[in-house]
Amino acid sequence: MTLNSDDFGIFGHYPFELPPLPYAYDALEPYIDEETMHFHHDKHFATYIKNLNDALEPYPFLHNVPLERILCSAKSLPEESRVKILNNAGGVYNHTLFFRGLAPASEPVHEPEGKLLEAIEGFFGSFEHFKEEFSDEAKDVFGSGWTVLVSDSESNLDIRNTANQDVLICEGLEPIILFDVWEHAYYLKYKNERADYIKNLWNIIRFK
Ligand code: MN
């Protein structure tokens, strides 16, 4: 993949800006509490945005490049800043999708339907079984990372775990749903009980 800019999509380009939450900070209660949302969005997510902008600032040739191209062009990035750029670009990418991928429990969006439901049933047997398998994977993430339902270019589904802020798009995999299993996503409310957080997250994951 080259650095030629074309489609900025939902992620934009330098200077990146913190996208506002598409719902109120307390809208995901009781599954994610208001205080966690303030820390997660206003502090953690905002820090990835700031650090990415700081890392890109000295390199004008990267200022008009879409985020996904930055992520998938590791070899074209300046060596001395490569790790910082990729880590923070991954953080911006993952959190942009994560917060957009949640919705208040009262909204009728938390179960897949149509083609996605058919695909989930085809690959995992049933939606219930898919949730079990996905939850088990999410519990298994060692340290900080993500669990992601991905689709390849032929619409094959798979559940993948990633470490830190790694992403899967450069393998041609499109994320459909993402669980943030970094402790910062749940520690204030759930402490060490990641399994409870994972179980509750299904109530607010957006499938449509
Ligand atoms: Mn996070």
Side-chain angles (χ1 to χ4, degrees):
M1 191 174 275
T2 69
L3 287 172
N4 296 330
S5 59
D6 46 15
D7 178 15
F8 297 124
I10 62 169
F11 302 103
H13 62 91
Y14 178 91
F16 292 91
E17 287 175 18
L18 182 65
L21 282 180
Y23 35 75
Y25 285 89
D26 62 357
L28 306 179
E29 300 260 13
Y31 305 110
I32 299 183
D33 57 292
E34 182 176 0
E35 189 185 15
T36 295
M37 291 304 287
H38 275 289
F39 272 96
H40 200 178
H41 179 271
D42 306 352
K43 306 290 184 188
H44 291 284
F45 188 10
T47 299
Y48 291 114
I49 299 263
K50 181 187 184 304
N51 288 346
L52 177 59
N53 285 334
D54 288 350
L56 293 174
E57 193 271 334
Y59 308 107
F61 78 100
L62 293 172
H63 288 183
N64 212 29
V65 179
L67 184 68
E68 286 156 294
R69 283 191 183 269
I70 290 175
L71 280 163
C72 299
S73 308
K75 286 181 184 147
S76 308
L77 299 175
E79 202 181 337
E80 69 276 12
S81 300
R82 184 176 297 152
V83 172
K84 187 175 180 190
I85 290 172
L86 290 174
N87 283 344
N88 287 290
V92 171
Y93 177 87
N94 285 329
H95 285 92
T96 300
L97 294 177
F98 178 69
F99 288 116
R100 286 169 65 106
L102 301 175
S106 57
E107 290 186 16
V109 296
H110 304 293
E111 293 200 5
E113 58 184 31
K115 283 200 167 123
L116 178 58
L117 177 61
E118 273 173 40
I120 286 174
E121 288 173 342
F123 282 92
F124 304 101
S126 67
F127 180 50
E128 281 311 307
H129 187 254
F130 158 72
K131 287 201 285 186
E132 271 173 44
E133 222 175 285
F134 189 102
S135 300
D136 287 344
E137 289 291 327
K139 286 174 213 165
D140 275 350
V141 172
F142 185 75
S144 298
W146 296 75
T147 301
V148 191
L149 174 65
V150 289
S151 169
D152 71 12
S153 57
E154 288 164 353
S155 300
N156 295 304
L157 300 185
D158 196 9
I159 300 166
R160 293 281 299 271
N161 284 345
T162 63
N164 302 312
Q165 296 297 354
D166 289 353
V167 300
L168 297 161
I169 36 162
C170 312
E171 298 174 34
L173 299 174
E174 202 67 44
I176 299 172
I177 62 165
L178 304 88
F179 277 27
D180 186 345
V181 291
W182 283 58
E183 281 188 346
H184 72 220
Y186 62 85
Y187 198 82
L188 288 177
K189 179 178 173 68
Y190 293 93
K191 303 299 184 255
N192 59 314
E193 299 295 343
R194 185 194 284 180
D196 292 345
Y197 160 71
I198 290 166
K199 184 164 171 259
N200 282 342
L201 210 46
W202 292 111
N203 295 301
I204 48 172
I205 284 288
R206 174 190 284 280
F207 275 93
K208 45 202 165 186

